[in-house]
């Protein structure tokens, strides 16, 4: 099964509530997947710094001195803000990707969860309510975010097998479904030099989008191409620095409901996930069409058919 | 007398148990369910001539396995509404998600909005009237009964169909394997007029085309019989 939620705010007044709204939506989806949970939050932009969000099994030891080592590797100011098993490293603006690469050298036991300017990904094994509580997601504000609760079918229940997956700078992906050609696609992507850490099918889907975009595709084009190249079942919800997208495979057997008002666009695996959103009674509620890329951004009027930037 | 049940205050299991406890001669014939909030399995397995009105949208398997009862959802319904219905009537004021009316043996399912994919999959005698459109793979392996679509049908309509009748007023994106357009004879106009009337649609039977089985697949060849 798995449960997906997503919330893209149009009304700035709701931004302080983003974490609380997403947490509530995700907890409602707990019985679709109790193995692990994660949330990607797009927070306020700080033009002087970029972010690398990291996770460690033994954070007390692993995060000790990490900021200094990173500062030495990058040359510039680095601060570390710990949040339970995760930490956000604030690195000089534009150096988040470099920091992610450097991390493999200076602290190989620390895992990169996400990199970018505004994106932070928090994920762990456990129930949505427990995962959200340990990171205090409900207190976080932001412009948009996506969440996932997992029922594992294709690979082990681990932190790295949890969603969301980081697909590029400020880009992330959650998935409900199962990919059946992930082994052959993983080998192909690895030959192309794409870094893949686990045996997880969704990580391959995420890596596929990364690879497409590295070769010049827009996110919209990469999602369109995924309809051809990925075999299996998938509902993807993706986040970018300024946007929020949804695509379903042509069979569309995994459930999806969307709601839109003047204040937000929301996605849920089920309508239950949306019932506490403000104004849901009068929202436009619909089921996204199969094999159709939907995308919203903050910089223009909402248009579900618009291709991603 | 109207019985009102608040699904936010009380459990789904108690609701369904109370509805199951109604006998054929019950005098509690009218039920109202408030705050369904997308709950699964609302009013499933009913077997009494009662009327159940659901004020809001529901989740999976609403009114599944229904017998005799009339279930009216004033909202949209999630996947599998009226799955395996035997008799009675289920009306959805909004949209229905995938596999609405799947495997239904009898009764009438009315969807006033759109139905998504696999509407009427493996239907076995149920009548389904959709005021809007239906999604892809609708009436897949449909065996008996009637599917009426007042709007358009998606890809692969009626794939591997047996003896069900499909009536579509709008366009059909594509027909599935062994499904073909068929002549609309006077008896079909009469069947359709009756169904549209019972479903509260003012569409004209003459505006519809009929689709059904070409009977060319493996199961229709007598040499393949045991």
């Amino acid at each position: 099964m798995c449960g997906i939620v997503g919330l893209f705010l149009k009304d700035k007044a709701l931004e302080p509530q983003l974490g609380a709204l997403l947490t509530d939506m995700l907890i409602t989806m707990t019985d679709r997947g109790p193995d692990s949970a994660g949330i990607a939050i797009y927070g306020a932009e700080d033009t002087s710094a970029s972010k690398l969000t990291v996770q460690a099994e033994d954070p007390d030891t692993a995060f000790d001195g990490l900021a200094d080592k990173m500062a030495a590797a990058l040359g510039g100011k680095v601060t570390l803000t710990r949040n339970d098993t995760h930490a956000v490293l604030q690195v000089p603006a534009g150096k988040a990707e470099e920091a992610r690469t450097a991390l493999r050298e200076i602290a190989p036991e620390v895992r990169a969860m996400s990199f970018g300017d505004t994106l932070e990904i928090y994920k762990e094994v456990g129930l949505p309510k427990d995962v959200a509580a340990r990171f205090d997601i409900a207190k976080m504000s932001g412009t948009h975010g996506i969440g996932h609760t997992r029922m594992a079918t294709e690979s082990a229940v681990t932190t790295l097998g949890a969603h969301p997956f980081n697909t590029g700078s400020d880009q992330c992906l959650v998935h409900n479904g199962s990919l059946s050609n992930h082994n052959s696609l993983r080998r192909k992507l690895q030959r192309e030099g794409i870094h893949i850490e686990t045996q997880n099918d969704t990580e391959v889907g995420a890596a596929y989008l990364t690879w497409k975009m590295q070769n010049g595709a827009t996110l919209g084009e990469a999602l369109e191409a995924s309809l051809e190249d990925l075999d299996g079942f998938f509902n993807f919800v993706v986040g970018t620095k300024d946007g929020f997208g949804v695509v379903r495979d042509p069979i569309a057997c995994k459930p999806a409901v969307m709601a839109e008002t003047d204040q937000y666009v929301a996605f849920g695996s089920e309508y239950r996930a949306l019932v506490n959103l403000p104004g849901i009674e009068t929202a436009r509620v619909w089921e996204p069409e199969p094999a159709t890329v939907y995308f919203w951004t903050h910089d223009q009027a909402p248009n579900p058919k618009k291709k991603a930037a | 007398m109207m019985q009102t049940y608040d699904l936010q205050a009380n459990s789904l299991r108690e609701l369904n148990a109370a509805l199951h406890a109604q006998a054929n001669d019950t005098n509690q014939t009218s039920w109202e369910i408030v705050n369904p909030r997308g709950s699964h399995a609302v009013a499933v397995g009913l077997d009494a001539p009662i009327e159940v009105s659901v004020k809001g949208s529901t989740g999976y398997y609403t009114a599944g396995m229904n017998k005799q009862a009339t279930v009216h959802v004033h909202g949209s319904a999630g996947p599998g509404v009226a799955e395996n219905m035997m008799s009675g009537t289920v009306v959805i004021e909004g949209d229905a998600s995938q596999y609405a009316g799947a495997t239904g043996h009898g009764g009438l399912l009315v969807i006033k909005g759109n139905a998504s994919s696999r509407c009427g999959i493996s239907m076995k005698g149920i009548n389904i009237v959709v005021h809007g459109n239906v999604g892809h793979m609708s009436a897949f392996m449909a065996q008996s009964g009637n599917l009426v679509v007042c709007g358009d049908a998606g890809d692969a309509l009626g794939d591997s169909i047996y003896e069900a009748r499909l009536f579509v007023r709008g366009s059909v994106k594509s027909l599935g394997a062994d499904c073909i357009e068929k002549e609309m004879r006077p008896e079909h106009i009469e069947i359709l007029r009756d169904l549209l009337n019972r479903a509260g649609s003012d569409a004209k039977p003459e505006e519809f085309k009929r689709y059904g089985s070409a009977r060319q697949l493996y199961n229709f060849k007598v040499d393949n019989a045991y």
Side-chain angles (χ1 to χ4, degrees):
Chain A
M1 292 218 281
C2 298
I4 308 181
V5 298
L7 186 59
F8 177 81
L9 299 179
K10 301 180 196 173
D11 181 356
K12 283 192 179 302
L14 284 179
E15 289 182 4
Q17 296 176 52
L18 180 75
L21 291 168
L22 266 177
T23 298
D24 180 69
M25 291 166 77
L26 191 59
I27 288 172
T28 311
M29 291 291 93
T30 298
D31 46 10
R32 295 192 63 85
D35 296 339
S36 57
I39 283 196
I41 290 259
Y42 290 85
E45 186 163 15
D46 173 357
T47 51
S48 67
S50 296
K51 291 175 184 174
L52 176 69
T53 307
V54 297
Q55 183 266 359
E57 288 292 310
D58 179 9
D60 287 337
T61 318
F63 295 161
D64 187 31
L66 182 60
D68 293 340
K69 280 190 254 177
M70 186 61 81
L74 296 177
K77 185 169 168 251
V78 174
T79 60
L80 182 146
T81 311
R82 182 172 164 190
N83 185 347
D84 197 70
T85 55
H86 286 45
V88 177
L89 286 160
Q90 297 227 294
V91 299
K95 292 212 170 186
E97 186 161 17
E98 201 182 318
R100 190 185 62 155
T101 310
L103 186 72
R104 286 182 204 136
E105 292 292 320
I106 61 176
E109 74 283 13
V110 176
R111 290 98 165 240
M113 297 284 102
S114 66
F115 71 98
D117 294 334
T118 61
L119 171 65
E120 294 172 15
I121 289 178
Y122 297 90
K123 57 186 186 184
E124 275 300 351
V125 172
L127 295 173
K129 72 175 168 57
D130 298 330
V131 173
R134 69 194 291 177
F135 301 117
D136 213 0
I137 303 285
K139 293 266 170 56
M140 295 182 185
S141 64
T143 52
H144 53 300
I146 58 184
H148 185 275
T149 182
R150 180 173 183 225
M151 189 170 84
T153 56
E154 304 294 305
S155 70
V157 177
T158 60
T159 305
L160 286 180
H163 306 216
F165 286 89
N166 193 197
T167 49
S169 179
D170 280 319
Q171 291 185 341
C172 66
L173 164 85
V174 294
H175 171 210
N176 177 15
S178 52
L179 303 178
S180 28
N181 64 338
H182 64 100
N183 283 324
S184 58
L185 194 55
R186 183 183 296 104
R187 287 192 292 274
K188 178 181 166 178
L189 291 167
Q190 283 173 333
R191 276 200 302 278
E192 299 284 340
I194 302 289
H195 179 77
I196 297 175
E197 301 217 15
T198 71
Q199 295 302 304
N200 182 274
D201 59 330
T202 306
E203 189 189 7
V204 174
Y208 169 83
L209 297 178
T210 304
W211 173 67
K212 276 281 172 190
M213 291 185 286
Q214 279 178 5
N215 286 285
T218 64
L219 178 62
E221 286 164 350
L223 290 171
E224 292 273 2
S226 74
L227 292 167
E228 278 298 313
D229 291 338
L230 300 183
D231 184 14
F233 300 119
F234 54 89
N235 281 352
F236 289 142
V237 178
V238 298
T240 68
K241 189 173 178 180
D242 192 44
F244 173 77
V246 172
V247 65
R248 304 176 80 192
D249 72 77
I251 309 277
C253 67
K254 297 298 176 186
V257 182
M258 300 206 65
E260 184 166 11
T261 71
D262 291 342
Q263 290 186 291
Y264 58 81
V265 179
F267 178 98
S269 290
E270 299 177 30
Y271 179 73
R272 281 190 301 156
L274 310 179
V275 293
N276 288 332
L277 290 172
I280 189 68
E281 302 78 15
T282 52
R284 183 172 82 93
V285 176
W286 80 102
E287 184 170 319
E289 293 285 326
T292 305
V293 175
Y294 293 80
F295 206 76
W296 287 264
T297 61
H298 282 116
D299 61 1
Q300 52 209 306
N303 175 359
K305 301 288 177 189
K306 179 182 176 288
K307 295 284 168 57
Chain B
M1 185 187 147
M2 169 90 82
Q3 314 288 310
T4 298
Y5 195 93
D6 186 344
L7 262 181
Q8 209 172 351
N10 301 291
S11 83
L12 175 69
R13 194 166 285 235
E14 286 171 44
L15 166 68
N16 283 334
L19 295 174
H20 295 166
Q22 303 308 310
N24 264 327
D25 56 355
T26 179
N27 58 9
Q28 296 180 341
T29 54
S30 183
W31 294 71
E32 183 180 73
I33 300 168
V34 297
N35 290 316
R37 295 162 62 83
S39 296
H40 299 180
V42 174
V44 295
L46 306 192
D47 188 7
I50 56 176
E51 294 197 9
V52 178
S53 177
V54 184
K55 303 291 186 188
S57 293
T58 58
Y60 281 84
Y61 308 126
T62 311
M65 304 177 284
N66 188 55
K67 271 183 172 172
Q68 304 191 66
T70 298
V71 179
H72 198 142
V73 178
H74 296 268
S76 292
V81 62
E83 189 169 69
N84 212 56
M85 175 152 71
M86 304 305 284
S87 64
T89 304
V90 174
V91 181
I92 309 300
E93 284 294 323
D95 299 330
S97 186
Q98 55 181 330
Y99 48 93
T103 75
H105 289 253
L108 175 67
L109 169 62
V110 179
I111 296 158
K112 299 250 177 115
N114 300 315
S116 78
S117 59
R118 294 171 276 273
C119 181
I121 183 171
S122 196
M123 54 193 278
K124 297 174 171 69
I126 190 175
N127 290 314
I128 304 174
V129 179
V130 181
H131 287 219
N133 308 323
V134 296
H136 65 274
M137 294 301 273
S138 287
F140 176 53
M141 294 185 79
Q143 288 144 57
S144 174
N146 299 287
L147 172 63
V148 179
V149 182
C150 300
D152 303 331
D155 272 318
L157 177 71
D159 194 292
S160 308
I161 187 173
Y162 294 84
E163 299 304 314
R165 300 181 200 94
L166 313 180
F167 300 100
V168 182
R169 182 163 67 159
S171 65
V172 174
K173 198 165 175 197
S174 66
L175 290 171
D178 209 33
C179 184
I180 55 169
E181 188 182 337
K182 294 190 160 183
E183 182 195 0
M184 195 73 151
R185 295 195 298 267
E187 71 261 34
H188 302 122
I189 295 282
E190 284 318 302
I191 289 168
L192 192 48
R193 190 185 313 282
D194 171 57
L195 287 172
L196 289 167
N197 189 32
R198 285 161 58 201
S201 169
D202 55 10
K204 307 274 179 294
E206 296 78 14
E207 296 166 350
F208 287 75
K209 287 179 175 168
R210 180 170 73 102
Y211 303 88
S213 177
R215 303 190 181 97
Q216 294 301 310
L217 292 184
Y218 181 94
N219 289 312
F220 292 101
K221 310 282 192 210
V222 70
D223 292 344
N224 295 326
Y226 286 108

